[in-house]
Amino acid sequence: MSTQSEQASSFSSIKERWEPRIERFRRGWDRYTRHKMGVIGLAIMVMYILWALFPSVFAPHRTEWQAYIGYTNGYMPSDAVLPHPPAFGDPFFAPLGTNEAGQGVFTLIVYATKDALYIGFAAGLLSSLVGVPLGLISGFYGDTWIDEAIQRIVDVMYGMPFLPFLIVLVAIRGISTTNIILGIAITSWLNNCILIRGETLSLKERAYVESAQVAGASDTRIVFRHIMPNVVPLAFVYLAQDAAAAIIAQASLAYLGLADFTKISWGTMIESVKAHNMIYSAPWWLIPPGLAITALAAAFYFIGFSIEDVVNPQD
C-alpha cells in the first residue's frame, strides 16, 4: 500500500509540475494557429521534412535513374545508350521533366531537400550557439569592458560584406558543405548577439533578478538560470531567420560555382541550367528548384514571424 501511495504521490507531483507548462504550450499553440502564415509555413516545413526523411517514397525514381532515347513502357532496351535530351512532360514518369543527363527534375528536388534542411538548421543552430551566449554576457555586463569588447567585435564583423566574405572563406578552406555552414554561421551570429543583448539589458532590471543577486546567486547562475530561459524563445525566432538566410546563401554560392557538386542541391541544379546555357529554353528545369528555395526560406520566415508574436505578443 505504501508503494502505491508513493507512486501516486510521485505521479501527482509530476502532474503538478508539468500542468502549467502544458497549459502555456496550449495557449501558445492557439495563438500561433491564428496566423495563417505560420500555419502555411509549418505545413510547408512538414512536407519538406517528410521529403528529407523518406525521399524514395515521394520521388518517382532514384537519383541514378536516367531517361534514355528508346524507353518503352518503362523499360530501357539494350540499344538505348544515349540519355534523352532535356524535355518537359511525362514521357518517362518525370512530372517536372528531365535535365541534360536524363534525370527527373522532381526526383532531384526531393532528394536535395535533406541537404537544404541540414544546411539551414546547422547554420541557424551554430549562429544561435555563438550569438545567444555572447548577447547574454554582453547585456548582463552592460557598460563594462566586457560589453565594449564584444560590441567592438560585432562592429568589425558588420563591416565585412556577407557574400564576398563567404566566397573568400570557401575559396581558401575548400568547397564543402561543412565550410559553407561555418562561413554562414560566422557572419550570421551578429544580429542574434545584438538583439539578445538588448533583451538581457531589460531583463536584468527585473525584480526576480535583483532578488537573486541579493540572495547571493553567482553571475553565471543568474545569467543561465534566470535570464536565459526568458530569451530562448526569442532566440528561436532568429534561428528561423538565420536558417532561411543560410539556404539562400548556399544557393547563391552554388550558382557562382562554389558548392559541393558531389551532392545534389537546388543551387547546383540552377547552376547546371546556367552551365548548359538553357536558362530560357528549359524553364521546367530552372523554375522548380528556384521555387523550392523560395518556399523553404518563406516557411522559415513565416514560422519565425508567428513564433515572435507568441513569445512577444503585441495585443
Side-chain angles (χ1 to χ4, degrees), residues 151-208:
Q151 292 310 303
R152 296 298 73 79
I153 293 173
V154 170
D155 291 341
V156 171
M157 294 293 293
Y158 260 126
M160 294 190 299
F162 176 66
L163 194 56
F165 173 77
L166 281 182
I167 293 172
V168 172
L169 182 67
V170 171
I172 293 174
R173 289 184 53 85
I175 299 173
S176 69
T177 301
T178 301
N179 289 335
I180 290 171
I181 291 171
L182 289 175
I184 294 170
I186 288 171
T187 54
S188 62
W189 63 269
L190 306 174
N191 288 335
N192 279 340
C193 181
I194 290 175
L195 294 167
I196 295 300
R197 173 184 180 271
E199 187 69 13
T200 303
L201 285 171
S202 173
L203 290 172
K204 76 174 187 177
E205 302 298 330
R206 302 288 177 87
Y208 65 89

Tab-separated table of all heavy atoms in Angstrom, residues 151-208:
chain	number	residue	atom	x	y	z
A	151	GLN	N	30.991	44.196	-28.281
A	151	GLN	CA	30.341	45.077	-29.253
A	151	GLN	C	31.314	45.586	-30.306
A	151	GLN	O	30.935	45.815	-31.455
A	151	GLN	CB	29.682	46.252	-28.532
A	151	GLN	CG	28.496	45.857	-27.668
A	151	GLN	CD	27.508	44.991	-28.433
A	151	GLN	OE1	26.995	45.376	-29.480
A	151	GLN	NE2	27.235	43.800	-27.901
A	152	ARG	N	32.593	45.773	-29.946
A	152	ARG	CA	33.571	46.197	-30.960
A	152	ARG	C	33.828	45.063	-31.959
A	152	ARG	O	34.032	45.315	-33.150
A	152	ARG	CB	34.871	46.617	-30.279
A	152	ARG	CG	34.782	47.821	-29.376
A	152	ARG	CD	34.366	49.122	-30.083
A	152	ARG	NE	32.966	49.164	-30.458
A	152	ARG	CZ	31.958	49.436	-29.606
A	152	ARG	NH1	32.215	49.652	-28.321
A	152	ARG	NH2	30.718	49.499	-30.036
A	153	ILE	N	33.839	43.825	-31.471
A	153	ILE	CA	33.980	42.681	-32.386
A	153	ILE	C	32.793	42.640	-33.351
A	153	ILE	O	32.957	42.408	-34.551
A	153	ILE	CB	34.082	41.364	-31.589
A	153	ILE	CG1	35.381	41.328	-30.791
A	153	ILE	CG2	34.008	40.161	-32.529
A	153	ILE	CD1	35.487	40.150	-29.847
A	154	VAL	N	31.609	42.891	-32.812
A	154	VAL	CA	30.406	42.920	-33.650
A	154	VAL	C	30.518	44.014	-34.699
A	154	VAL	O	30.181	43.810	-35.876
A	154	VAL	CB	29.149	43.129	-32.778
A	154	VAL	CG1	27.931	43.409	-33.644
A	154	VAL	CG2	28.905	41.910	-31.897
A	155	ASP	N	30.996	45.186	-34.306
A	155	ASP	CA	31.140	46.296	-35.257
A	155	ASP	C	32.098	45.936	-36.382
A	155	ASP	O	31.840	46.239	-37.557
A	155	ASP	CB	31.640	47.546	-34.524
A	155	ASP	CG	30.602	48.125	-33.577
A	155	ASP	OD1	29.417	47.803	-33.750
A	155	ASP	OD2	30.988	48.883	-32.662
A	156	VAL	N	33.222	45.304	-36.023
A	156	VAL	CA	34.200	44.911	-37.048
A	156	VAL	C	33.594	43.879	-37.996
A	156	VAL	O	33.748	43.973	-39.222
A	156	VAL	CB	35.476	44.343	-36.383
A	156	VAL	CG1	36.394	43.729	-37.436
A	156	VAL	CG2	36.201	45.434	-35.616
A	157	MET	N	32.878	42.892	-37.436
A	157	MET	CA	32.260	41.860	-38.269
A	157	MET	C	31.192	42.436	-39.185
A	157	MET	O	31.012	41.975	-40.317
A	157	MET	CB	31.662	40.771	-37.377
A	157	MET	CG	32.682	39.971	-36.590
A	157	MET	SD	33.734	38.948	-37.643
A	157	MET	CE	32.562	37.751	-38.265
A	158	TYR	N	30.467	43.446	-38.695
A	158	TYR	CA	29.446	44.073	-39.530
A	158	TYR	C	30.067	44.788	-40.727
A	158	TYR	O	29.397	45.003	-41.744
A	158	TYR	CB	28.628	45.083	-38.711
A	158	TYR	CG	27.296	44.550	-38.258
A	158	TYR	CD1	26.937	44.575	-36.917
A	158	TYR	CD2	26.383	44.037	-39.176
A	158	TYR	CE1	25.715	44.077	-36.489
A	158	TYR	CE2	25.164	43.543	-38.764
A	158	TYR	CZ	24.829	43.567	-37.421
A	158	TYR	OH	23.628	43.068	-37.005
A	159	GLY	N	31.335	45.167	-40.608
A	159	GLY	CA	31.987	45.858	-41.714
A	159	GLY	C	32.357	44.940	-42.865
A	159	GLY	O	32.695	45.422	-43.950
A	160	MET	N	32.291	43.624	-42.645
A	160	MET	CA	32.629	42.674	-43.707
A	160	MET	C	31.394	42.338	-44.521
A	160	MET	O	30.372	41.934	-43.955
A	160	MET	CB	33.224	41.391	-43.111
A	160	MET	CG	34.563	41.599	-42.449
A	160	MET	SD	35.369	40.032	-42.006
A	160	MET	CE	34.178	39.352	-40.860
A	161	PRO	N	31.458	42.509	-45.834
A	161	PRO	CA	30.301	42.154	-46.680
A	161	PRO	C	30.035	40.655	-46.622
A	161	PRO	O	30.978	39.848	-46.668
A	161	PRO	CB	30.719	42.607	-48.074
A	161	PRO	CG	32.209	42.658	-48.029
A	161	PRO	CD	32.583	43.010	-46.623
A	162	PHE	N	28.768	40.292	-46.552
A	162	PHE	CA	28.381	38.907	-46.284
A	162	PHE	C	28.821	37.945	-47.379
A	162	PHE	O	29.625	37.039	-47.150
A	162	PHE	CB	26.860	38.854	-46.091
A	162	PHE	CG	26.307	37.467	-45.897
A	162	PHE	CD1	26.638	36.739	-44.774
A	162	PHE	CD2	25.468	36.894	-46.835
A	162	PHE	CE1	26.136	35.458	-44.574
A	162	PHE	CE2	24.960	35.628	-46.653
A	162	PHE	CZ	25.291	34.915	-45.523
A	163	LEU	N	28.318	38.128	-48.596
A	163	LEU	CA	28.584	37.158	-49.663
A	163	LEU	C	30.051	37.152	-50.095
A	163	LEU	O	30.634	36.061	-50.253
A	163	LEU	CB	27.665	37.427	-50.859
A	163	LEU	CG	27.584	36.312	-51.910
A	163	LEU	CD1	27.156	35.003	-51.262
A	163	LEU	CD2	26.615	36.702	-53.019
A	164	PRO	N	30.703	38.314	-50.279
A	164	PRO	CA	32.137	38.265	-50.620
A	164	PRO	C	32.973	37.540	-49.562
A	164	PRO	O	33.921	36.821	-49.901
A	164	PRO	CB	32.523	39.741	-50.728
A	164	PRO	CG	31.263	40.427	-51.111
A	164	PRO	CD	30.183	39.685	-50.385
A	165	PHE	N	32.655	37.740	-48.280
A	165	PHE	CA	33.381	37.048	-47.221
A	165	PHE	C	33.210	35.532	-47.352
A	165	PHE	O	34.173	34.771	-47.207
A	165	PHE	CB	32.885	37.511	-45.858
A	165	PHE	CG	33.463	36.738	-44.703
A	165	PHE	CD1	34.759	36.976	-44.275
A	165	PHE	CD2	32.723	35.757	-44.065
A	165	PHE	CE1	35.305	36.256	-43.220
A	165	PHE	CE2	33.257	35.030	-43.009
A	165	PHE	CZ	34.549	35.283	-42.588
A	166	LEU	N	31.984	35.087	-47.628
A	166	LEU	CA	31.737	33.661	-47.806
A	166	LEU	C	32.522	33.108	-48.990
A	166	LEU	O	33.093	32.017	-48.921
A	166	LEU	CB	30.240	33.410	-48.020
A	166	LEU	CG	29.326	33.407	-46.799
A	166	LEU	CD1	27.900	33.102	-47.226
A	166	LEU	CD2	29.792	32.392	-45.782
A	167	ILE	N	32.549	33.875	-50.076
A	167	ILE	CA	33.261	33.425	-51.271
A	167	ILE	C	34.746	33.240	-50.970
A	167	ILE	O	35.354	32.227	-51.327
A	167	ILE	CB	33.054	34.434	-52.424
A	167	ILE	CG1	31.584	34.419	-52.876
A	167	ILE	CG2	33.973	34.109	-53.592
A	167	ILE	CD1	31.242	35.503	-53.879
A	168	VAL	N	35.354	34.222	-50.288
A	168	VAL	CA	36.779	34.151	-49.952
A	168	VAL	C	37.051	32.983	-49.003
A	168	VAL	O	38.010	32.213	-49.186
A	168	VAL	CB	37.253	35.478	-49.330
A	168	VAL	CG1	38.687	35.333	-48.803
A	168	VAL	CG2	37.182	36.601	-50.349
A	169	LEU	N	36.192	32.839	-47.975
A	169	LEU	CA	36.394	31.774	-46.989
A	169	LEU	C	36.311	30.398	-47.626
A	169	LEU	O	37.163	29.521	-47.382
A	169	LEU	CB	35.357	31.898	-45.870
A	169	LEU	CG	35.470	30.880	-44.735
A	169	LEU	CD1	36.747	31.125	-43.939
A	169	LEU	CD2	34.258	30.948	-43.820
A	170	VAL	N	35.294	30.187	-48.451
A	170	VAL	CA	35.118	28.890	-49.101
A	170	VAL	C	36.252	28.630	-50.097
A	170	VAL	O	36.735	27.502	-50.228
A	170	VAL	CB	33.746	28.834	-49.805
A	170	VAL	CG1	33.639	27.590	-50.668
A	170	VAL	CG2	32.626	28.840	-48.775
A	171	ALA	N	36.697	29.686	-50.776
A	171	ALA	CA	37.791	29.530	-51.733
A	171	ALA	C	39.084	29.138	-51.026
A	171	ALA	O	39.885	28.356	-51.554
A	171	ALA	CB	37.985	30.823	-52.515
A	172	ILE	N	39.316	29.662	-49.803
A	172	ILE	CA	40.540	29.368	-49.057
A	172	ILE	C	40.475	27.990	-48.399
A	172	ILE	O	41.401	27.186	-48.498
A	172	ILE	CB	40.798	30.452	-47.985
A	172	ILE	CG1	41.113	31.793	-48.659
A	172	ILE	CG2	41.940	30.042	-47.063
A	172	ILE	CD1	41.230	32.939	-47.695
A	173	ARG	N	39.374	27.703	-47.737
A	173	ARG	CA	39.263	26.468	-46.958
A	173	ARG	C	38.810	25.270	-47.796
A	173	ARG	O	38.888	24.133	-47.343
A	173	ARG	CB	38.286	26.669	-45.794
A	173	ARG	CG	38.825	27.576	-44.692
A	173	ARG	CD	37.835	27.645	-43.537
A	173	ARG	NE	37.460	26.321	-43.062
A	173	ARG	CZ	38.140	25.614	-42.181
A	173	ARG	NH1	39.267	26.107	-41.687
A	173	ARG	NH2	37.714	24.425	-41.781
A	174	GLY	N	38.314	25.534	-48.975
A	174	GLY	CA	37.839	24.434	-49.807
A	174	GLY	C	36.322	24.420	-49.878
A	174	GLY	O	35.629	24.900	-48.976
A	175	ILE	N	35.824	23.873	-50.977
A	175	ILE	CA	34.385	23.841	-51.213
A	175	ILE	C	33.812	22.567	-50.608
A	175	ILE	O	33.996	21.476	-51.141
A	175	ILE	CB	34.082	23.911	-52.723
A	175	ILE	CG1	34.625	25.217	-53.305
A	175	ILE	CG2	32.585	23.825	-52.965
A	175	ILE	CD1	34.530	25.292	-54.814
A	176	SER	N	33.149	22.716	-49.482
A	176	SER	CA	32.473	21.588	-48.842
A	176	SER	C	31.283	22.126	-48.066
A	176	SER	O	31.229	23.317	-47.727
A	176	SER	CB	33.412	20.834	-47.895
A	176	SER	OG	33.731	21.627	-46.760
A	177	THR	N	30.333	21.264	-47.796
A	177	THR	CA	29.140	21.682	-47.058
A	177	THR	C	29.501	22.202	-45.676
A	177	THR	O	28.945	23.198	-45.209
A	177	THR	CB	28.161	20.498	-46.935
A	177	THR	OG1	27.804	20.045	-48.247
A	177	THR	CG2	26.897	20.914	-46.199
A	178	THR	N	30.456	21.550	-45.017
A	178	THR	CA	30.865	21.978	-43.677
A	178	THR	C	31.440	23.385	-43.690
A	178	THR	O	31.090	24.219	-42.836
A	178	THR	CB	31.914	21.004	-43.100
A	178	THR	OG1	31.352	19.696	-43.040
A	178	THR	CG2	32.340	21.436	-41.704
A	179	ASN	N	32.301	23.687	-44.652
A	179	ASN	CA	32.894	25.016	-44.738
A	179	ASN	C	31.850	26.079	-45.064
A	179	ASN	O	31.931	27.209	-44.574
A	179	ASN	CB	34.013	25.039	-45.779
A	179	ASN	CG	35.238	24.274	-45.317
A	179	ASN	OD1	35.464	24.110	-44.128
A	179	ASN	ND2	36.019	23.785	-46.268
A	180	ILE	N	30.889	25.714	-45.896
A	180	ILE	CA	29.815	26.652	-46.215
A	180	ILE	C	28.996	26.967	-44.966
A	180	ILE	O	28.661	28.126	-44.689
A	180	ILE	CB	28.916	26.077	-47.330
A	180	ILE	CG1	29.671	26.049	-48.656
A	180	ILE	CG2	27.638	26.904	-47.474
A	180	ILE	CD1	28.959	25.320	-49.763
A	181	ILE	N	28.678	25.945	-44.176
A	181	ILE	CA	27.920	26.148	-42.940
A	181	ILE	C	28.703	27.021	-41.965
A	181	ILE	O	28.154	27.957	-41.362
A	181	ILE	CB	27.576	24.792	-42.298
A	181	ILE	CG1	26.546	24.047	-43.160
A	181	ILE	CG2	27.025	24.987	-40.881
A	181	ILE	CD1	26.310	22.619	-42.721
A	182	LEU	N	29.992	26.736	-41.804
A	182	LEU	CA	30.825	27.533	-40.897
A	182	LEU	C	30.892	28.981	-41.357
A	182	LEU	O	30.807	29.912	-40.542
A	182	LEU	CB	32.229	26.942	-40.817
A	182	LEU	CG	32.377	25.619	-40.067
A	182	LEU	CD1	33.807	25.092	-40.185
A	182	LEU	CD2	31.993	25.789	-38.594
A	183	GLY	N	31.041	29.187	-42.655
A	183	GLY	CA	31.107	30.548	-43.183
A	183	GLY	C	29.833	31.323	-42.933
A	183	GLY	O	29.865	32.500	-42.554
A	184	ILE	N	28.700	30.666	-43.136
A	184	ILE	CA	27.409	31.325	-42.903
A	184	ILE	C	27.233	31.636	-41.421
A	184	ILE	O	26.781	32.723	-41.042
A	184	ILE	CB	26.259	30.444	-43.428
A	184	ILE	CG1	26.337	30.335	-44.955
A	184	ILE	CG2	24.903	31.016	-43.011
A	184	ILE	CD1	25.403	29.300	-45.540
A	185	ALA	N	27.604	30.682	-40.554
A	185	ALA	CA	27.449	30.881	-39.113
A	185	ALA	C	28.322	32.024	-38.609
A	185	ALA	O	27.905	32.818	-37.755
A	185	ALA	CB	27.779	29.594	-38.365
A	186	ILE	N	29.549	32.137	-39.141
A	186	ILE	CA	30.476	33.188	-38.710
A	186	ILE	C	29.904	34.573	-38.977
A	186	ILE	O	30.124	35.513	-38.195
A	186	ILE	CB	31.840	33.023	-39.419
A	186	ILE	CG1	32.575	31.807	-38.852
A	186	ILE	CG2	32.706	34.268	-39.268
A	186	ILE	CD1	33.829	31.435	-39.626
A	187	THR	N	29.155	34.704	-40.059
A	187	THR	CA	28.646	36.025	-40.439
A	187	THR	C	27.208	36.280	-40.019
A	187	THR	O	26.704	37.388	-40.211
A	187	THR	CB	28.745	36.191	-41.969
A	187	THR	OG1	28.078	35.093	-42.607
A	187	THR	CG2	30.187	36.231	-42.421
A	188	SER	N	26.532	35.284	-39.442
A	188	SER	CA	25.108	35.465	-39.142
A	188	SER	C	24.777	35.532	-37.649
A	188	SER	O	23.607	35.689	-37.288
A	188	SER	CB	24.287	34.341	-39.795
A	188	SER	OG	24.668	33.082	-39.279
A	189	TRP	N	25.790	35.420	-36.758
A	189	TRP	CA	25.503	35.451	-35.327
A	189	TRP	C	25.361	36.875	-34.797
A	189	TRP	O	24.940	37.089	-33.655
A	189	TRP	CB	26.610	34.733	-34.554
A	189	TRP	CG	27.962	35.362	-34.671
A	189	TRP	CD1	28.920	35.085	-35.597
A	189	TRP	CD2	28.522	36.381	-33.824
A	189	TRP	NE1	30.033	35.853	-35.399
A	189	TRP	CE2	29.827	36.653	-34.307
A	189	TRP	CE3	28.057	37.079	-32.711
A	189	TRP	CZ2	30.658	37.605	-33.721
A	189	TRP	CZ3	28.889	38.021	-32.121
A	189	TRP	CH2	30.162	38.288	-32.612
A	190	LEU	N	25.692	37.864	-35.619
A	190	LEU	CA	25.747	39.247	-35.148
A	190	LEU	C	24.385	39.767	-34.717
A	190	LEU	O	24.248	40.381	-33.649
A	190	LEU	CB	26.329	40.141	-36.249
A	190	LEU	CG	27.690	39.692	-36.808
A	190	LEU	CD1	28.097	40.563	-37.988
A	190	LEU	CD2	28.744	39.747	-35.722
A	191	ASN	N	23.359	39.540	-35.540
A	191	ASN	CA	22.012	40.008	-35.184
A	191	ASN	C	21.529	39.353	-33.899
A	191	ASN	O	20.908	40.006	-33.053
A	191	ASN	CB	21.030	39.727	-36.322
A	191	ASN	CG	21.251	40.638	-37.512
A	191	ASN	OD1	21.787	41.730	-37.366
A	191	ASN	ND2	20.856	40.191	-38.682
A	192	ASN	N	21.805	38.051	-33.762
A	192	ASN	CA	21.445	37.353	-32.521
A	192	ASN	C	22.063	38.041	-31.315
A	192	ASN	O	21.393	38.286	-30.306
A	192	ASN	CB	21.937	35.898	-32.567
A	192	ASN	CG	21.014	35.001	-33.354
A	192	ASN	OD1	19.857	35.325	-33.566
A	192	ASN	ND2	21.520	33.874	-33.792
A	193	CYS	N	23.339	38.326	-31.409
A	193	CYS	CA	24.064	38.918	-30.286
A	193	CYS	C	23.478	40.275	-29.903
A	193	CYS	O	23.227	40.549	-28.721
A	193	CYS	CB	25.542	39.064	-30.657
A	193	CYS	SG	26.561	39.767	-29.351
A	194	ILE	N	23.237	41.131	-30.884
A	194	ILE	CA	22.742	42.487	-30.605
A	194	ILE	C	21.341	42.449	-30.006
A	194	ILE	O	21.046	43.134	-29.014
A	194	ILE	CB	22.765	43.325	-31.896
A	194	ILE	CG1	24.204	43.616	-32.302
A	194	ILE	CG2	21.999	44.629	-31.707
A	194	ILE	CD1	24.330	44.337	-33.607
A	195	LEU	N	20.455	41.642	-30.591
A	195	LEU	CA	19.070	41.617	-30.125
A	195	LEU	C	18.940	40.932	-28.762
A	195	LEU	O	18.162	41.379	-27.911
A	195	LEU	CB	18.200	40.919	-31.166
A	195	LEU	CG	18.096	41.680	-32.494
A	195	LEU	CD1	17.501	40.805	-33.583
A	195	LEU	CD2	17.254	42.945	-32.329
A	196	ILE	N	19.691	39.869	-28.536
A	196	ILE	CA	19.670	39.205	-27.232
A	196	ILE	C	20.278	40.126	-26.169
A	196	ILE	O	19.819	40.156	-25.023
A	196	ILE	CB	20.422	37.864	-27.291
A	196	ILE	CG1	19.692	36.882	-28.224
A	196	ILE	CG2	20.543	37.256	-25.900
A	196	ILE	CD1	18.267	36.554	-27.822
A	197	ARG	N	21.290	40.893	-26.544
A	197	ARG	CA	21.878	41.860	-25.607
A	197	ARG	C	20.826	42.872	-25.157
A	197	ARG	O	20.713	43.183	-23.967
A	197	ARG	CB	23.049	42.592	-26.273
A	197	ARG	CG	23.623	43.741	-25.423
A	197	ARG	CD	24.728	44.483	-26.179
A	197	ARG	NE	25.268	45.563	-25.380
A	197	ARG	CZ	24.791	46.809	-25.378
A	197	ARG	NH1	23.746	47.123	-26.129
A	197	ARG	NH2	25.357	47.736	-24.615
A	198	GLY	N	20.063	43.399	-26.111
A	198	GLY	CA	19.029	44.373	-25.750
A	198	GLY	C	17.980	43.786	-24.822
A	198	GLY	O	17.543	44.438	-23.863
A	199	GLU	N	17.575	42.551	-25.093
A	199	GLU	CA	16.588	41.897	-24.238
A	199	GLU	C	17.168	41.636	-22.846
A	199	GLU	O	16.470	41.785	-21.836
A	199	GLU	CB	16.152	40.579	-24.885
A	199	GLU	CG	15.012	39.871	-24.178
A	199	GLU	CD	13.689	40.597	-24.306
A	199	GLU	OE1	13.586	41.518	-25.144
A	199	GLU	OE2	12.748	40.253	-23.556
A	200	THR	N	18.439	41.261	-22.788
A	200	THR	CA	19.081	40.991	-21.495
A	200	THR	C	19.211	42.262	-20.669
A	200	THR	O	19.022	42.240	-19.436
A	200	THR	CB	20.473	40.371	-21.713
A	200	THR	OG1	20.331	39.181	-22.497
A	200	THR	CG2	21.129	40.019	-20.394
A	201	LEU	N	19.520	43.386	-21.310
A	201	LEU	CA	19.608	44.665	-20.598
A	201	LEU	C	18.286	44.995	-19.920
A	201	LEU	O	18.262	45.551	-18.810
A	201	LEU	CB	19.984	45.783	-21.573
A	201	LEU	CG	21.436	45.825	-22.043
A	201	LEU	CD1	21.600	46.836	-23.169
A	201	LEU	CD2	22.365	46.160	-20.879
A	202	SER	N	17.179	44.613	-20.573
A	202	SER	CA	15.864	44.859	-19.983
A	202	SER	C	15.557	43.875	-18.861
A	202	SER	O	15.077	44.259	-17.791
A	202	SER	CB	14.785	44.760	-21.068
A	202	SER	OG	13.489	44.830	-20.518
A	203	LEU	N	15.877	42.593	-19.091
A	203	LEU	CA	15.534	41.560	-18.113
A	203	LEU	C	16.334	41.680	-16.822
A	203	LEU	O	15.835	41.349	-15.742
A	203	LEU	CB	15.758	40.174	-18.728
A	203	LEU	CG	14.779	39.746	-19.823
A	203	LEU	CD1	15.247	38.458	-20.472
A	203	LEU	CD2	13.372	39.576	-19.257
A	204	LYS	N	17.564	42.152	-16.902
A	204	LYS	CA	18.396	42.181	-15.698
A	204	LYS	C	17.936	43.235	-14.694
A	204	LYS	O	18.398	43.247	-13.552
A	204	LYS	CB	19.863	42.407	-16.051
A	204	LYS	CG	20.238	43.825	-16.433
A	204	LYS	CD	21.744	43.926	-16.607
A	204	LYS	CE	22.184	45.365	-16.828
A	204	LYS	NZ	23.646	45.487	-16.938
A	205	GLU	N	17.011	44.116	-15.130
A	205	GLU	CA	16.447	45.109	-14.215
A	205	GLU	C	15.177	44.609	-13.528
A	205	GLU	O	14.607	45.316	-12.709
A	205	GLU	CB	16.123	46.393	-14.989
A	205	GLU	CG	17.308	47.011	-15.711
A	205	GLU	CD	18.412	47.431	-14.753
A	205	GLU	OE1	18.095	47.780	-13.592
A	205	GLU	OE2	19.594	47.399	-15.159
A	206	ARG	N	14.747	43.397	-13.869
A	206	ARG	CA	13.531	42.854	-13.272
A	206	ARG	C	13.764	42.501	-11.812
A	206	ARG	O	14.893	42.234	-11.374
A	206	ARG	CB	13.077	41.607	-14.035
A	206	ARG	CG	12.803	41.843	-15.511
A	206	ARG	CD	11.534	42.643	-15.748
A	206	ARG	NE	11.314	42.933	-17.153
A	206	ARG	CZ	10.683	42.127	-17.998
A	206	ARG	NH1	10.228	40.960	-17.566
A	206	ARG	NH2	10.517	42.478	-19.261
A	207	ALA	N	12.658	42.453	-11.058
A	207	ALA	CA	12.728	42.235	-9.607
A	207	ALA	C	13.307	40.873	-9.266
A	207	ALA	O	14.069	40.738	-8.308
A	207	ALA	CB	11.334	42.392	-8.995
A	208	TYR	N	12.959	39.823	-10.049
A	208	TYR	CA	13.424	38.485	-9.688
A	208	TYR	C	14.938	38.362	-9.873
A	208	TYR	O	15.597	37.586	-9.175
A	208	TYR	CB	12.690	37.411	-10.490
A	208	TYR	CG	12.941	37.432	-11.980
A	208	TYR	CD1	14.003	36.720	-12.531
A	208	TYR	CD2	12.102	38.134	-12.843
A	208	TYR	CE1	14.232	36.716	-13.893
A	208	TYR	CE2	12.325	38.138	-14.202
A	208	TYR	CZ	13.389	37.436	-14.724
A	208	TYR	OH	13.610	37.435	-16.075
